[in-house]
Amino acid sequence: SSGINAEYGGEVKNTMVSLKYSIAAELPVEQQNWKKINNLCFGAIQEFENFCDLLRDPSDNFPDTLSDETVRPYVISQIYIARLYGKFRPTDSALKLAFLAKAETHFKKALEYYDAHLPQCSGMDLKEEIDVAREMAHFLPRKMEKIKQLTA
């Protein structure tokens, strides 16, 4: 039950971030408002990470194979975490690079589980999310390299 609450809480905060981010993209936004959006991102990430932590065994190890009931929520949580890291608007380019690197890591976690467990994942309606995760995992290193070049 607490796993469902953590996942649900993450989805609610993720939706709030998406709404505020889309409004902010259309209007000039003060730094204070970006701080609020960044704080929402952190909150949503924490909820999703709490859910993923619940999947660990008593020795704090992540299982090689998840139960069928937790596969989709886990993969989606990793993708949401990645997207949220990509939405941060820090004022420092080094911090932006760190967040983009974390985004890439979480996209890869989703892809690694999916690719290693194709028979289990095949009927779970994840194709669209996985396709986007593949594109982003491919795109983010180029984006990070561009930021490095612009700030060098």
Side-chain angles (χ1 to χ4, degrees):
S1 142
S2 60
I4 292 170
N5 289 339
E7 182 192 0
Y8 179 72
E11 286 192 28
V12 168
K13 288 180 180 170
N14 182 59
T15 301
M16 289 172 59
V17 168
S18 294
L19 291 171
K20 287 184 181 260
Y21 198 86
S22 64
I23 291 168
E26 295 176 17
L27 303 170
V29 178
E30 298 169 17
Q31 188 60 34
Q32 182 64 25
N33 289 332
W34 279 117
K35 281 184 177 180
K36 289 178 184 178
I37 292 171
N38 287 344
N39 285 338
L40 271 174
C41 287
F42 272 122
I45 287 168
Q46 190 60 54
E47 295 284 348
F48 286 120
E49 286 181 343
N50 288 344
F51 167 74
C52 293
D53 286 344
L54 290 172
L55 302 175
R56 296 180 180 279
D57 67 22
S59 302
D60 204 34
N61 296 316
F62 195 79
D64 291 332
T65 303
L66 296 169
S67 68
D68 287 348
E69 302 83 44
T70 58
V71 170
R72 190 173 200 294
Y74 169 76
V75 171
I76 295 297
S77 291
Q78 291 300 326
I79 292 170
Y80 279 167
I81 291 168
R83 290 178 58 210
L84 287 160
Y85 273 120
K87 289 185 177 186
F88 277 108
R89 285 289 184 96
T91 54
D92 176 62
S93 61
L95 196 52
K96 179 68 174 172
L97 286 170
F99 287 145
L100 291 175
K102 286 184 177 196
E104 180 185 18
T105 297
H106 285 280
F107 279 126
K108 286 181 176 179
K109 281 183 180 183
L111 294 170
E112 286 167 6
Y113 189 88
Y114 182 85
D115 291 341
H117 299 86
L118 280 175
Q120 183 185 33
C121 295
S122 65
M124 297 199 178
D125 192 30
L126 288 166
K127 183 179 177 357
E128 187 176 321
E129 290 90 349
I130 290 296
D131 288 347
V132 170
R134 282 193 206 290
E135 282 182 36
M136 292 304 296
H138 181 73
F139 166 76
L140 282 173
R142 286 193 231 141
K143 183 174 182 174
M144 289 185 285
E145 190 56 41
K146 189 173 184 177
I147 291 171
K148 287 178 191 172
Q149 290 172 357
L150 292 172
T151 58

